[in-house]
Amino acid sequence: QVQLTEAGGSSVEAGGSLRLSCSASGFVFRTYCMSWFRQAPGKEREEIANIDIDGNPKYADSVKGRFAISRDNAKSTVHLQLDSLKPADTAIYYCAAQVFACLGEPSYWGQGTQVTVAD
């Protein structure tokens, strides 16, 4: 049974930091591209970061320079470090997994974790 479980969401003040984690099970983690998406109220879901099977990260312009994605294949975990948070970062954050390449719709999704940034 595939599971992706996010943790680390919280309420913080603008300028603060959070570290999100996503623990995976039920598939061969090291062969999957791992991504973080977010969805703010009334907005479409957007991909903000991904990390391929070789550990190469990519970021959306909206978070570049402030967020950092990393993966630990030994622990089947992907992290997202969120720094210099802004109220516009308020959203539900989801991790997702796509086999091999970071292309197309992910195969698996987590349930999401809420990040709220107060002004």
Side-chain angles (χ1 to χ4, degrees), residues 26-93:
F27 60 96
V28 184
F29 182 82
R30 67 179 184 275
T31 65
Y32 278 70
C33 166
M34 299 301 298
S35 303
W36 285 95
F37 289 73
R38 69 184 181 187
Q39 187 165 21
K43 294 189 177 181
E44 292 190 354
R45 185 180 62 200
E46 64 169 331
E47 183 178 22
I48 55 172
N50 66 48
I51 185 164
D52 67 16
I53 61 174
D54 295 319
N56 300 305
K58 283 189 178 179
Y59 302 96
D61 288 343
S62 58
V63 305
K64 197 173 294 183
R66 300 188 299 119
F67 292 7
I69 189 171
S70 60
R71 66 188 297 159
D72 184 339
N73 289 340
K75 296 182 179 179
S76 296
T77 301
V78 60
H79 299 282
L80 187 68
Q81 178 69 35
L82 292 68
D83 295 323
S84 302
L85 281 161
K86 307 173 182 179
D89 295 318
T90 295
I92 299 174
Y93 285 69

